[in-house]
Amino acid sequence: MEVLIRDTPAAVAECAADQVVSALAAVTGRSPTLGLATGSSPLGLYAALGRRVAAGQLDIRAVHGVALDEYVGLPPDHPQGYGVVLERTVCDVVGLPRPHLHVPDGTAAGLAALTERAAAYERTILALGGVDVQILGIGTNGHVGFNEPGSALTSRTRVKRLSDRTRRDNARFFTSLDDVPTHCVTQGLGTITSARRLVLVATGDAKARAVADALEGPLTASCPASVLQWHPDTVVVLDEQAAGCLKNRSYYDAAAQGLAAASGEQA
Ligand code: F6R
């Protein structure tokens, strides 16, 4: 796992954009697949990717976007539905073609129909060749996607109950807490860790505890983001505030200097 710490959220966004662009550029012989998170954390990254596209450094036209999650029970045109949010924050900002945006279906009536469509979503990801690089945020309770504490580490896309904490955290996007859906369809932790590269971005004090638990605590379903420790190509990009509870900070900074810098020191 690589942990890259930057001074500001703007620098976090640029650094994460470098990681995403290099992962997409490495794909040959098929359309690249980009895993998309919603929420506040990746907005700066999406803006940075939009600038790369405008500068001709990223060709987004063939890329497919695969959402992590969707609320259950919102009408398809609800402004806080994740399909609509990603149209606004990724298609409109980065230029991802709308027909290339794939989002779990939270509109089906009843658990059986939702479960069947969740399985179809897994097949869609497979048909696209899997996710080349998955963008992630982290919840204050350590969730990734909407895999709340207690989620199976090998889980696949399915219906989940949202925790009270997540509903309170996300109430800022709705008129009131009562309007926040109680359930979602989310990629599982097994789905997320099947992506070839994971890029998690976190900024601000509110994420510091969850980030430290995920990176330096035990691998446990009690902190779903700790599953990142299991993945061979994870990059975590943090600002100073989100890095505030890390114990191994000096190691991460030294490692980020790279081999060339270390050789220079020894010379
Ligand atoms: C949303 C998602 C969630 C968010 C997390 C952080 O698709 O996957 O895991 O990344 O809740 O949300 P923000 O970034 O709004 O703090």
Side-chain angles (χ1 to χ4, degrees):
M1 182 183 316
E2 229 182 317
V3 182
L4 304 173
I5 300 165
R6 297 292 181 267
D7 289 339
T8 62
V12 167
E14 292 299 334
C15 176
D18 290 343
Q19 299 295 327
V20 170
V21 168
S22 71
L24 294 177
V27 179
T28 52
R30 60 176 173 79
S31 299
T33 307
L34 174 61
L36 301 166
T38 44
S40 308
S41 303
L43 294 180
L45 165 55
Y46 294 145
L49 291 176
R51 289 191 291 275
R52 307 290 170 101
V53 171
Q57 295 159 357
L58 170 64
D59 185 354
I60 198 73
R61 290 169 299 181
V63 173
H64 280 258
V66 177
L68 277 175
D69 40 24
E70 177 58 288
Y71 292 114
V72 166
L74 292 183
D77 58 349
H78 191 288
Q80 295 308 328
Y82 280 176
V84 175
V85 169
L86 289 171
E87 284 182 358
R88 236 175 15 237
T89 59
V90 177
C91 298
D92 294 354
V93 172
V94 188
L96 182 84
R98 287 188 182 214
H100 289 192
L101 175 63
H102 310 270
V103 183
D105 186 349
T107 63
L111 182 60
L114 288 164
T115 300
E116 194 272 311
R117 292 194 194 173
Y121 193 66
E122 287 277 334
R123 291 195 293 275
T124 298
I125 294 173
L126 279 180
L128 290 169
V131 173
D132 294 294
V133 52
Q134 175 65 57
I135 295 168
L136 295 169
I138 183 170
T140 56
N141 64 356
H143 73 210
V144 281
F146 275 142
N147 294 280
E148 303 287 23
S151 293
L153 299 175
T154 54
S155 47
R156 311 302 301 191
T157 305
R158 69 224 183 283
V159 176
K160 282 294 282 183
R161 168 96 197 182
L162 294 169
S163 71
D164 289 347
R165 181 148 178 197
T166 297
R167 293 188 64 244
R168 280 199 306 276
D169 284 349
N170 286 5
R172 68 190 193 280
F173 297 116
F174 292 84
T175 311
S176 75
L177 181 57
D178 287 345
D179 293 333
V180 183
T182 56
H183 288 77
C184 66
V185 180
T186 181
Q187 287 189 31
L189 296 172
T191 320
I192 291 170
T193 51
S194 298
R196 295 180 184 86
R197 173 180 288 179
L198 305 178
V199 177
L200 183 137
V201 286
T203 56
D205 290 335
K207 300 294 173 69
R209 190 65 260 157
V211 165
D213 289 346
L215 272 55
E216 297 178 343
L219 174 57
T220 168
S222 297
C223 178
S226 67
V227 79
L228 269 62
Q229 297 175 26
W230 191 248
H231 193 280
D233 186 2
T234 291
V235 184
V236 179
V237 191
L238 307 169
D239 70 355
E240 290 289 345
Q241 283 75 25
C245 294
L246 292 174
K247 291 201 183 84
N248 296 329
R249 165 70 192 265
S250 58
Y251 175 79
Y252 306 135
D253 288 347
Q257 297 300 312
L259 191 57
S263 316
E265 272 167 26
Q266 283 157 17

